Amino acid sequence: MLDLAVFGSLFLTLFVIMDPPGITPIFLALTSGRPAKVQRRMAWQAAAVAFGVIAVFGLCGRQILAYLHISTPALMIAGGLLLLLIALDLLTGKSEEPTQTKDVNAALVPLGMPLLAGPGAIVSVILAVQHAQGFADQVSVWAAIAAIHVVLWLVMRFSLVIIRVIKDGGVVLVTRLAGMMLSALAVQQIINGVTQVVSGA
């Protein structure tokens, strides 16, 4: 019923892109000064918003591509380039951390989108759903999507504990490792897209 290879591949891809360890200091910055009850509510709100955006693109991504006349290889190459840009930000530490605001629910914007449900995650899910063949693959894809959002919720929910354990240095180390892995995934995706273009020419 569950294809572990499909599940593991998408889960790891989304884990690297969404970067649960790296989101911890951002979540703390956005929710600082609020009661613990509010922080817990914002954690599940951010995860729910991200899941909703990802689910919409997962369900309607094929129709969106058909309407815009975008081929899969083009999407793979564009997605690879987007992932590479995200990877460079992770590796160099140049990604900007948003500041706290009291007037806007930070769980919705920018935490839910675009920090969690960003272009890299959206493209990866569209491709995964599009390439899933058979009921088992579809179940595996959606199980991976659900699992990564549960992980994101848990990380944000217990972020105060996590940050005490791994410290700022640990977050930086994990973020750099995630950037290195993501850059390799991005290059491979670009290569796959170019290969499909060449073979179809």
Side-chain angles (χ1 to χ4, degrees), residues 114-160:
L115 285 177
L116 295 180
I122 290 172
V123 169
S124 297
V125 167
I126 291 177
L127 291 175
V129 172
Q130 190 171 7
H131 290 154
Q133 298 178 354
F135 182 73
D137 283 2
Q138 289 288 346
V139 170
S140 303
V141 166
W142 287 103
I145 294 172
I148 189 60
H149 284 88
V150 170
V151 171
L152 286 167
W153 170 70
L154 289 173
V155 167
M156 290 184 290
R157 169 69 173 76
F158 297 102
S159 58
L160 293 174

Side-chain angles (χ1 to χ4, degrees), residues 161-183:
V161 178
I162 293 173
I163 203 69
R164 289 195 204 104
V165 174
I166 66 175
K167 307 296 184 183
D168 291 341
V171 173
V172 171
L173 176 61
V174 172
T175 301
R176 296 297 183 271
L177 291 174
M180 186 170 59
M181 293 173 61
L182 182 58
S183 63

